[in-house]
Amino acid sequence: MRNITRSAFFLVAGLLGLAFMPAASSAAVKQISDYQQAAKAANVVFQLPHWEKTPAQIQATLETAISVSDQRLAAIIARKPEQRTFANTITALDQAYFPVTLASERLDVIQETSPSKEMRDVATAAIQRLETWFVDTSFRRDLYETIKSFAATHPQVSGEDAMYLKTVLRDYRRNGMDLPKEQRDRLQLLKNRLNDLQLQFKRNISAAKPLVEFTREELEGVSQDFLNNKAVLGEDGKYRINANVTWQILEVLRNAKREETRKRLSIARTSRVLKENTPLFVKILKTRAEIARLLGYDNWADYRIEIKMAKNGKTAWDFLQQLKTGLEPKFRQELATYAQLKARDTENPDAKIHYWDIGYYKNQLSKSRYKIDKDKLKVYFELENTLQGMFSIFEELFGIRIEAVEAPYKWVDDLRLYAITDAASGTPLGLLYMDMFPRDGKYNHFAQFGVTPALRLPNGKYQRPVAALICNFPPPGNGKPSLLTYNDTETLFHEFGHALHTVLTQANYMEFSGTSVPRDFVEAPSQMLENWVRDKKVLDRFAVDYRDHKSKIPAEILNKLEELRLATIATYYRGQLAYGLLDLRIHMSNDPKVFENVVDVTNKIIGDVYLPVPEGTGLIASFGHLGGGYDAGYYGYAWADAISADMASVFRKAPGGFMDKDTGRRLRKEIYAVGGAREIDDSIRAFLQRERSLEPFFEFIGLKK
């Protein structure tokens, strides 16, 4: 499973110069074989996947995975009623899906990261076939009747077993398995069509390469380090910015003095794949609406949200509308502040703030009023030092060890691999690949991808998980290392939180392992970890000037950063609310006119809630979240933010603050380890040790004084 996140997001060695480095880098790089004795003692499987290196190997993996899963399903069906047990019928179902899930997740990584276009294309085709298999299998009548008849015996199970049985029966109901055959056949056709459309929608976004050419003069204000980077400076001396690469576009939009430069780049960004993806998305919306209607739901949003915390579209809509209304005065005040800055710059008292101005004038506000130059903060966040500092923090907080491991196979030379183990027992917990820098054809944002899901195997051993963080941080260049922005560092902590959620799992069922929790909760544990980057005591452990390994970020700068965050929070959230509301608007509708005019409909919402996108563009066509995964679910970011703020408040009040070990261990036990194996409200309550509250969130966004 992939966790798409929102953010273009953010050593003890620093305290002692170079005299000490954290455990994760203190020894020579290890081998996977070094962990096998501990794995055997713990009865776990701890191994790297076999990566496909040729199109023929991808095809072989596809055929083998389907064959093995089909055989396992056939064994479930073949048993006579009197031979059926919970283990060989219900538990076996989760295990039967494992081979195809394993292949699908690995091929997804290949599709999004392989330097070879041929490999990416072949992987895409294979994933389409696997998705078809998943849909077709979910409609198998013989399998459904087997599961249904066994469930009718009312097996005496509890805990995770009972949760899994409940989930299986719920999903069959949501798949329309009790509908007449004609409707089931139509649903099956529609779901397969939807998978194909969604896959192509996302693939078009990843493959896009909208280059915008600028002169040196047009890039006035952009840092010289950026301009010297080979990724943007061609051999012909011309600058070409890829509007599909996050770090490039953010650098220019935040720093380019000329409005026309920012406008041109914004147009390119919001026009990506507009021609290719708009008709695709119309088909996607119509297909989703028909599926929901056949299943008896009022709309696609109600269907998708039923299994989440919000339960239905109206609850999600009302939540976002309440935030929108509450933030209105502050939002208008912030826009007025930006307009004043623009009026001063342009000597036009009637200057208005446009969509392409926000990043620039936020940055100018930072420099002029709060005396913060975020570009100058980069020296405190050299990538290697930041990584090792983060590892050290989470090792201490969660009782784990993070060690570099030699990767026998790398799809790119600078790929990293880490082993995560339990510090007390030495038990291997998981493996994590990290692909850090952008390149052509690679997934262009930041996300965690599953590689090997966790589950209890039929032989009793526990399959430990493997994950991959696919990132696009600024690469090193011009004699300088990779230097992260403050926001990049928040993103790193956030994404690593998803990885922790994956590798610390103890769920017995693949269905519940790792981040397999309701989508409107999944971001909360990771969003919470962004708070660590805002805490002076935590930052002092690693945020040191890489040039002298001594200078730390002054406390007054952190205080100013917090003031700046609160001074611009309404602008940020109104943008998030615009995306959430446009998502719900189109997915709570069944009107073909809304679908056919989806660009105009969604552009209007962005303009009403936030700021109008450039004329003639359409952000919806490159809104990858809505291509599958976060459809009718973007509201979940704000929803999870509310939970995240509540969870972070527990650390703030703990004796050790954000480094409180008892609270950290409780987070690991009650949230990360459990995954989706119990009702998520029970897990949240177990961590908070009380009922949920919105008060910390209101305080976080400046609505409570």
Side-chain angles (χ1 to χ4, degrees):
M1 190 195 89
R2 177 187 313 180
N3 293 319
I4 309 270
T5 62
R6 107 195 107 166
S7 313
F9 312 133
F10 29 79
L11 289 156
V12 175
L15 299 176
L16 303 175
L18 296 176
F20 173 79
M21 290 296 284
S25 63
S26 60
V29 174
K30 289 194 170 186
Q31 308 294 320
I32 287 295
S33 58
D34 295 332
Y35 297 90
Q36 295 313 308
Q37 185 174 350
K40 183 178 180 181
N43 201 35
V44 302
V45 177
F46 190 70
Q47 61 189 22
L48 290 170
H50 172 74
W51 289 99
E52 292 74 14
K53 304 177 185 66
T54 67
Q57 289 176 351
I58 290 177
Q59 188 63 31
T61 290
L62 170 68
E63 302 296 342
T64 299
I66 289 176
S67 175
V68 174
S69 284
D70 280 343
Q71 290 173 26
R72 293 184 181 184
L73 292 172
I76 295 172
I77 296 165
R79 290 188 181 91
K80 297 178 180 179
E82 62 271 18
Q83 297 174 324
R84 294 171 186 157
T85 65
F86 191 87
N88 68 25
T89 305
I90 305 302
T91 301
L93 186 64
D94 189 64
Q95 295 163 348
Y97 280 107
F98 178 68
V100 171
T101 303
L102 182 64
S104 180
E105 293 198 342
R106 191 169 65 248
L107 294 181
D108 194 24
V109 174
I110 292 173
Q111 174 194 227
E112 298 288 11
T113 66
S114 175
S116 164
K117 184 178 186 302
E118 182 184 16
M119 286 290 285
R120 296 196 302 269
D121 290 344
V122 173
T124 297
I127 291 170
Q128 284 179 304
R129 186 170 166 193
L130 291 173
E131 291 292 345
T132 298
W133 181 90
F134 277 118
V135 171
D136 291 346
T137 299
S138 71
F139 280 96
R140 284 184 59 169
R141 198 70 190 169
D142 53 356
L143 182 59
Y144 173 60
E145 293 294 348
T146 299
I147 301 300
K148 183 180 179 182
S149 63
F150 180 77
T153 67
H154 303 291
Q156 297 301 302
V157 290
S158 59
E160 191 174 349
D161 288 341
M163 185 77 171
Y164 183 62
L165 178 59
K166 175 184 174 182
T167 301
V168 168
L169 296 176
R170 178 203 70 188
D171 289 349
Y172 272 125
R173 172 186 60 79
R174 284 170 50 80
N175 211 34
M177 290 303 287
D178 289 324
L179 293 176
K181 185 178 185 305
E182 182 180 351
Q183 291 181 326
R184 295 200 312 272
D185 290 346
R186 178 63 179 168
L187 275 171
Q188 187 172 354
L189 175 69
L190 290 170
K191 287 199 168 187
N192 278 322
R193 178 187 300 168
L194 182 60
N195 281 334
D196 291 345
L197 291 168
Q198 291 178 162
L199 194 60
Q200 187 58 50
F201 182 88
K202 290 185 283 189
R203 193 71 220 135
N204 286 346
I205 297 172
S206 293
K209 194 177 180 180
L211 297 178
V212 187
E213 189 173 300
F214 294 105
T215 65
R216 177 65 186 86
E217 291 72 24
E218 289 173 323
L219 292 174
E220 180 187 4
V222 178
S223 72
Q224 193 60 48
D225 283 346
F226 177 83
L227 294 174
N228 289 340
N229 197 296
K230 293 180 180 179
V232 299
L233 177 58
E235 293 182 0
D236 59 0
K238 295 180 180 179
Y239 299 94
R240 295 176 182 87
I241 309 302
N242 189 338
N244 206 24
V245 176
T246 303
W247 71 273
Q248 292 186 25
I249 194 166
L250 289 178
E251 177 75 22
V252 176
L253 290 181
R254 288 170 177 165
N255 295 288
K257 290 185 177 180
R258 298 193 180 190
E259 181 175 355
E260 186 61 26
T261 296
R262 302 194 302 269
K263 182 177 180 180
R264 282 178 59 200
L265 198 54
S266 289
I267 290 172
R269 178 75 169 179
T270 49
S271 297
R272 291 175 297 163
V273 295
L274 183 62
K275 182 178 179 180
E276 301 93 328
N277 270 2
T278 299
L280 267 179
F281 197 59
V282 171
K283 292 177 182 177
I284 286 171
L285 290 173
K286 289 181 177 180
T287 305
R288 287 171 177 168
E290 186 176 352
I291 290 172
R293 187 166 61 251
L294 281 170
L295 289 170
Y297 293 86
D298 288 342
N299 51 64
W300 182 255
D302 281 353
Y303 168 66
R304 290 287 281 167
I305 299 174
E306 178 190 27
I307 59 175
K308 301 175 185 178
M309 296 183 73
K311 302 305 180 187
N312 57 65
K314 184 179 185 303
T315 300
W317 179 271
D318 289 347
F319 172 73
L320 296 187
Q321 286 286 4
Q322 289 169 7
L323 283 180
K324 172 180 172 288
T325 300
L327 287 166
E328 175 70 13
K330 196 170 189 308
F331 177 57
R332 295 302 163 191
Q333 180 184 8
E334 290 177 14
L335 289 183
T337 298
Y338 302 142
Q340 289 172 3
L341 291 174
K342 188 174 182 180
R344 184 189 65 189
D345 276 359
T346 61
E347 298 182 352
N348 175 9
D350 298 322
K352 294 182 180 180
I353 289 294
H354 298 290
Y355 183 86
W356 50 85
D357 289 326
I358 292 295
Y360 180 75
Y361 285 106
K362 273 188 178 182
N363 196 19
Q364 293 306 302
L365 182 68
S366 170
K367 294 177 182 179
S368 62
R369 179 174 298 181
Y370 297 96
K371 309 302 180 185
I372 300 170
D373 186 339
K374 288 192 175 183
D375 282 338
K376 291 183 179 179
L377 289 180
K378 291 178 183 179
V379 297
Y380 296 103
F381 300 111
E382 186 270 327
L383 177 61
E384 303 304 326
N385 200 47
T386 302
L387 266 180
Q388 299 305 330
M390 180 183 70
F391 290 164
S392 176
I393 287 164
F394 292 141
E395 284 179 330
E396 180 178 325
L397 191 63
F398 298 118
I400 58 178
R401 286 182 63 82
I402 305 167
E403 299 172 300
V405 178
E406 181 66 33
Y409 166 72
K410 296 182 178 182
W411 57 82
V412 64
D413 289 342
D414 55 14
L415 184 70
R416 304 157 184 260
L417 177 64
Y418 298 93
I420 301 175
T421 59
D422 181 74
S425 66
T427 298
L429 297 172
L431 290 155
L432 178 66
Y433 289 97
M434 298 183 76
D435 185 343
M436 305 300 285
F437 306 117
R439 59 183 175 273
D440 286 349
K442 179 186 171 183
Y443 176 77
N444 58 29
H445 202 52
F446 301 83
Q448 183 217 234
F449 288 69
V451 177
T452 302
L455 82 165
R456 182 72 60 185
L457 298 168
N459 63 9
K461 291 179 180 284
Y462 193 93
Q463 172 67 59
R464 294 309 308 176
V466 182
L469 289 189
I470 310 303
C471 305
N472 285 276
F473 292 118
N478 309 312
K480 292 186 178 182
S482 174
L483 299 178
L484 308 185
T485 66
Y486 184 76
N487 290 340
D488 285 337
T489 307
E490 286 183 322
T491 296
L492 179 60
F493 273 66
H494 178 111
E495 294 301 335
F496 200 78
H498 285 306
L500 288 170
H501 207 165
T502 292
V503 301
L504 297 179
T505 187
Q506 295 295 335
N508 287 315
Y509 290 93
M510 182 175 63
E511 175 76 22
F512 302 138
S513 69
T515 57
S516 298
V517 295
R519 276 287 190 173
D520 49 5
F521 173 74
V522 72
E523 297 294 337
S526 290
Q527 288 168 204
M528 182 187 65
L529 294 184
E530 295 178 25
N531 288 279
W532 272 243
V533 182
R534 303 175 188 129
D535 185 84
K536 171 67 172 169
K537 291 181 180 178
V538 175
L539 279 179
D540 278 351
R541 296 170 61 104
F542 71 91
V544 294
D545 191 323
Y546 80 98
R547 297 167 299 185
D548 62 21
H549 297 276
K550 295 178 182 179
S551 304
K552 304 170 189 174
I553 298 179
E556 56 267 27
I557 289 184
L558 289 178
N559 292 336
K560 291 292 185 181
L561 281 170
E562 178 62 12
E563 291 176 18
L564 176 63
R565 185 188 69 80
L566 287 172
T568 59
I569 193 71
T571 308
Y572 167 76
Y573 267 105
R574 285 292 286 255
Q576 290 295 301
L577 297 178
Y579 305 145
L581 287 167
L582 74 82
D583 174 27
L584 289 173
R585 171 70 178 90
I586 57 180
H587 287 118
M588 291 175 73
S589 176
N590 292 306
D591 186 350
K593 291 183 179 179
V594 170
F595 302 154
E596 290 161 5
N597 295 285
V598 65
V599 172
D600 291 339
V601 169
T602 54
N603 280 357
K604 184 178 186 305
I605 292 173
I606 296 173
D608 291 344
V609 181
Y610 184 55
L611 290 166
V613 295
E615 188 175 350
T617 69
L619 182 144
I620 194 70
S622 54
F623 199 164
H625 288 67
L626 305 193
Y630 273 88
D631 43 298
Y634 201 87
Y635 78 90
Y637 281 116
W639 185 281
D641 267 344
I643 300 171
S644 166
D646 201 14
M647 293 170 66
S649 72
V650 176
F651 278 96
R652 283 196 178 90
K653 295 175 182 177
F658 284 109
M659 292 306 301
D660 191 81
K661 294 180 183 179
D662 289 342
T663 309
R665 301 304 197 275
R666 191 164 78 245
L667 178 66
R668 174 181 170 180
K669 176 185 176 183
E670 304 293 355
I671 300 294
Y672 290 142
V674 175
R678 66 180 173 195
E679 297 294 342
I680 200 63
D681 280 317
D682 293 338
S683 292
I684 297 170
R685 191 180 301 110
F687 171 71
L688 295 176
Q689 297 184 330
R690 57 169 170 75
E691 295 299 321
R692 280 195 288 142
S693 170
L694 285 174
E695 292 304 309
F697 180 55
F698 292 148
E699 184 175 350
F700 178 73
I701 61 177
L703 294 185
K704 178 184 177 183
K705 296 182 180 179

